[in-house]
Amino acid sequence: MPFTTRSVVPHWSHSPCTAYYDLMQFPRSDSVAILMSGGLDSAILLGEALRTSTQVFPLYVRCGLHWEPVELRHARRYLAALERPALQPLTLLDVPVADLDPTHWSVTGQNVPGADTPDEAVFLPGRNVLLLTKAMLWCHLRGVSAVALGVLGSNPFPDATPGFFSACEDLVNRGIGGSVRILTPFAQMHKTDVMQLGRELPLQHSFSCINPVDERHCGQCNKCQERRMAFRVAGMPDFSLYAN
Ligand SMILES: [Zn+2]
């Protein structure tokens, strides 16, 4: 039974700079939690939230997946590099999934989908349900009004549609007697537009790889390919360390 990493399929077409903020719907708020993986989209989402919110709470959910220890160390370095007044300490939440299929590539690190595999190869069903349920409950208990994800509009997976987020928001709030909102500010944006928003951010500390080599990106997996293409198409320098 597979699990997904972040379910993002990039769309490489480019829209004019003036459209970025028209497309992005990130409301000004007192407090917002950001579900961050340490990858490009959630790293940039965090940077955007720091521009518009008084308190920003980064949440990292540990599921017991192969790449998480390296990813988490990168996430900590990224947060340290941001150093903004609104940024709150990183919160770690645990949602272990390895017991569902201990032989799955995301758990073992064996036969990880390579650079030439389709996006569906890294789809892990159920991930957003699990992450959002715990994140929303965390927000509810602490009076944080919303949780945001860096999901792109071109994402084709069933747990990244407006209908899914609306239903999830309704269901979890019913179950907890809460009113926590789910925000997807990048839902109308293409990957390249999101990258442009992150031009001034310390993205060298973000991490996208599902098969890290020591502390570096492997340079050969599905997600490394997506990352390299994101920098290339956006015309931005890529300071990531690749083993290959
Ligand atoms: Zn990789």
Side-chain angles (χ1 to χ4, degrees):
M1 142 67 186
F3 288 92
T4 193
T5 61
R6 205 165 37 110
S7 36
V8 167
V9 175
H11 190 299
W12 305 114
S13 66
H14 203 105
S15 61
C17 292
T18 52
Y20 295 161
Y21 294 98
D22 293 338
L23 289 168
M24 192 176 64
Q25 299 171 355
F26 209 133
R28 292 192 174 276
S29 64
D30 292 335
S31 62
V32 63
I34 305 293
L35 266 176
M36 68 174 301
S37 66
L40 289 168
D41 301 322
S42 63
I44 295 169
L45 180 67
L46 188 70
E48 287 302 306
L50 289 170
R51 293 190 320 104
T52 56
S53 300
T54 308
Q55 289 186 304
V56 177
F57 297 87
L59 304 181
Y60 183 93
V61 182
R62 290 182 295 205
C63 296
L65 305 182
H66 169 64
W67 57 87
E68 286 178 350
V70 179
E71 184 179 69
L72 180 55
R73 285 191 285 275
H74 278 75
R76 290 187 188 281
R77 285 194 283 271
Y78 180 76
L79 294 171
L82 279 176
E83 287 185 2
R84 309 284 166 82
L87 183 60
Q88 304 302 304
L90 176 65
T91 293
L92 301 180
L93 300 175
D94 288 309
V95 181
V97 300
D99 48 358
L100 291 170
D101 184 357
T103 67
H104 192 260
W105 63 264
S106 62
V107 176
T108 65
Q110 304 295 315
N111 301 314
V112 170
D116 58 348
T117 55
D119 296 296
E120 287 74 13
V122 294
F123 178 53
L124 306 173
R127 180 158 170 92
N128 281 348
V129 173
L130 294 171
L131 302 194
L132 279 169
T133 301
K134 191 149 188 180
M136 288 179 70
L137 182 54
W138 185 91
C139 289
H140 174 67
L141 293 173
R142 283 159 183 79
V144 176
S145 59
V147 58
L149 303 85
V151 174
L152 303 187
S154 52
N155 187 316
F157 298 128
D159 64 350
T161 64
F164 164 77
F165 290 121
S166 175
C168 183
E169 181 179 282
D170 180 57
L171 180 69
V172 175
N173 279 321
R174 282 193 197 196
I176 63 179
S179 57
V180 179
R181 290 172 300 149
I182 297 175
L183 306 178
T184 55
F186 295 164
Q188 301 300 315
M189 298 178 69
H190 298 304
K191 182 82 171 188
T192 302
D193 302 326
V194 172
M195 290 294 292
Q196 298 293 343
L197 286 177
R199 265 188 184 280
E200 306 301 323
L201 296 172
L203 296 180
Q204 69 273 21
H205 298 303
S206 65
F207 193 77
S208 309
C209 181
I210 51 178
N211 194 23
V213 177
D214 299 325
E215 289 296 307
R216 295 171 294 171
H217 289 81
C218 76
Q220 295 182 305
C221 74
N222 177 295
K223 304 302 287 186
C224 278
Q225 173 69 10
E226 178 185 324
R227 180 184 179 90
R228 283 176 147 159
M229 188 67 75
F231 279 105
R232 190 177 308 148
V233 175
M236 293 164 57
D238 183 359
F239 297 112
S240 314
L241 294 176
Y242 294 100
N244 180 308

